[in-house]
């Protein structure tokens, strides 16, 4: 059984509702071997950045209000704000454009970009991540893409992903930078926030 506690959850994600998240995280952690204090704390720290400190961002929104921001996030696709302007306030169209023909997705017209946009606590992205997650839980990729928008599916996606990406041995060694690179890629966005949240959770768990 995992040693996840309300105090540890709130140390990493202070606005997360324990009534919702404690049972589903416990079930997911138990299934996927997140069963030590370091593994639990490292997982919580990653999720608190990927899905917000309330674990409320379970599907990537992509509803941008300024073309400059779109162009800054995807400069290779939108070299100027003018090129990005048609995608302002059009999240589905934007997802299908920026995620087309990458991460296992089909063309822009396939709709894969929107269906397989970031989802769950780890923000699974693209068919290449949804397909093995779905297979591990007896689902189709399309079913999995719906499931990750629920707390149960989001938690299971997070625990599965850390196991699938071999992050758990890194957690045992407290290699938070290496975990962040596997979760978020070379950008390693929010690295310091991930470290801080993980360390806060571990400090609480050490006292358990």
């Amino acid at each position: 059984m995992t040693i996840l506690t309300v105090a540890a959850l709130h140390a990493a994600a202070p606005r997360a509702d324990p009534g919702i998240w404690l049972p589903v995280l416990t079930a997911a952690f138990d299934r996927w071997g997140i069963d030590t204090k370091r593994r639990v704390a490292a997982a919580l720290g990653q999720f608190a950045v990927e899905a917000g400190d309330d674990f409320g961002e379970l599907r990537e929104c992509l509803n941008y209000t300024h073309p400059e921001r779109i162009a800054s996030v995807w400069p290779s696709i939108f070299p100027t704000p003018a090129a990005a302007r048609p995608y302002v306030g059009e999240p589905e169209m934007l997802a299908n454009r920026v995620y087309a023909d990458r991460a296992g997705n089909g063309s822009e017209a396939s709709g894969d970009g929107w269906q397989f946009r970031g989802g769950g606590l780890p923000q699974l992205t693209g068919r290449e991540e949804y397909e093995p997650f779905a297979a591990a839980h007896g689902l189709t990729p399309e079913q999995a893409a719906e499931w990750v928008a629920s707390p149960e599916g989001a938690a299971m996606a997070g625990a599965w992903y850390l196991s699938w990406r071999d992050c758990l041995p890194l957690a045992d060694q407290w290699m938070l930078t290496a975990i962040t690179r596997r979760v978020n890629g070379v950008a390693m966005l929010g690295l310091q926030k991930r470290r801080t949240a993980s360390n806060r959770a571990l400090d609480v768990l050490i006292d358990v």
Side-chain angles (χ1 to χ4, degrees):
M1 287 288 291
T2 181
I3 39 75
L4 176 63
T5 66
V6 172
L9 174 65
H10 277 169
R15 297 192 298 129
D17 183 342
I20 294 173
W21 290 105
L22 206 64
V24 296
L25 283 169
T26 296
F29 286 178
D30 286 346
R31 177 165 181 181
W32 291 105
I34 301 177
D35 52 8
T36 69
K37 293 176 181 181
R38 286 189 172 188
R39 291 183 177 193
V40 169
L44 292 175
Q46 293 297 321
F47 301 160
V49 172
E50 291 290 318
D53 68 359
D54 62 349
F55 289 172
E57 300 168 26
L58 300 185
R59 291 310 306 267
E60 186 179 6
C61 177
L62 293 154
N63 189 18
Y64 289 85
T65 56
H66 300 287
E68 292 81 6
R69 178 58 179 161
I70 296 174
S72 71
V73 175
W74 293 283
S76 63
I77 299 175
F78 305 108
T80 66
R85 189 164 290 114
Y87 296 86
V88 170
E90 296 289 348
E92 184 169 352
M93 187 168 73
L94 178 61
N96 286 332
R97 176 72 178 90
V98 300
Y99 292 136
D101 300 309
R102 57 181 291 197
N105 289 341
S107 67
E108 189 171 346
S110 73
D112 282 357
W114 177 250
Q115 183 159 40
F116 301 114
R117 69 194 187 279
L121 292 179
Q123 295 291 291
L124 300 180
T125 304
R127 275 188 176 272
E128 68 182 16
E129 292 186 348
Y130 277 96
E131 286 181 346
F133 169 65
H137 296 86
L139 303 171
T140 67
E142 292 76 15
Q143 289 171 331
E146 294 294 325
W147 192 36
V148 297
S150 71
E152 180 187 20
M156 201 63 74
W160 168 84
Y161 186 83
L162 293 177
S163 175
W164 181 62
R165 295 284 288 154
D166 293 324
C167 293
L168 302 184
L170 298 176
D172 294 338
Q173 301 174 64
W174 210 234
M175 298 174 66
L176 300 180
T177 299
I179 295 172
T180 299
R181 186 181 182 92
R182 293 192 182 183
V183 172
N184 192 249
V186 295
M188 292 197 290
L189 297 175
L191 174 59
Q192 189 53 50
K193 290 183 179 180
R194 295 169 199 263
R195 286 174 173 165
T196 298
S198 296
N199 281 315
R200 285 175 177 168
L202 184 60
D203 287 346
V204 169
L205 290 169
I206 285 173
D207 293 333
V208 173

